[in-house]
Amino acid sequence: NGSGKTTLFRTLTSLQGPLSGEIIISKNLKSSYVPQAKKMALSFPLSVQDVLLMPKNYALSFLPKKKFTDSELFLLERSGVSEYLNKQISECSGGQLQRVLILRALLT
C-alpha cells in the first residue's frame, strides 16, 4: 500500500502528469489500462463473448460478425474465460468480470 502503483499507471496512461521527473514512452507502444471494476452498468443483455468481441464487431451492422482467432481462443482457454463465454456479463462474479475486462484489453 502506498508504493505508487496507481500513480505510476495513471502517469503511464496520461491520465495524470508525472509528479516529478519524466517518463519517455516509445511512440510504437500500445497499452491498455483496466482499473478495478467497482461500479459498472451491467444491465445490458450482453454475454461475455459479446463483450470480448465488441471491438472487432464495432463496425457497420451489415458486415459479417467476426469470430475469435486461434491465438485468441488459446488466451481464452489459458485464462479460464472460455468456461463462461456464454454467461451473461451481469451474472459474472467480480473476479470473473475483472478477468474478462483484462482479457478484452489484451485482445484489443
Side-chain angles (χ1 to χ4, degrees):
N1 290 340
S3 64
K5 296 181 297 289
T6 300
T7 301
L8 172 63
F9 284 107
R10 290 179 59 83
T11 305
L12 288 172
T13 57
S14 301
L15 291 172
Q16 73 179 48
L19 299 176
S20 66
E22 121 184 273
I23 294 179
I24 300 170
I25 300 174
S26 169
K27 299 218 182 304
N28 297 328
L29 179 70
K30 293 182 181 181
S31 65
S32 296
Y33 172 63
V34 181
Q36 184 68 33
K38 292 182 181 175
K39 290 186 178 179
M40 189 172 159
L42 299 174
S43 58
F44 294 106
L46 295 172
S47 69
V48 168
Q49 181 170 313
D50 294 333
V51 171
L52 292 173
L53 286 173
M54 198 177 293
K56 285 183 160 196
N57 290 325
Y58 188 70
L60 301 173
S61 60
F62 60 83
L63 293 176
K65 296 295 180 199
K66 295 185 178 164
K67 305 286 183 195
F68 294 114
T69 64
D70 288 341
S71 60
E72 291 169 340
L73 289 170
F74 176 77
L75 277 176
L76 291 169
E77 284 292 324
R78 293 289 301 197
S79 66
V81 172
S82 61
E83 296 174 19
Y84 50 93
L85 271 179
N86 295 317
K87 189 176 191 177
Q88 291 295 301
I89 198 74
S90 60
E91 297 171 356
C92 289
S93 69
Q96 288 174 330
L97 177 61
Q98 195 68 15
R99 189 176 292 188
V100 169
L101 295 177
I102 291 168
L103 190 54
R104 180 176 167 180
L106 288 172
L107 295 176
T108 304

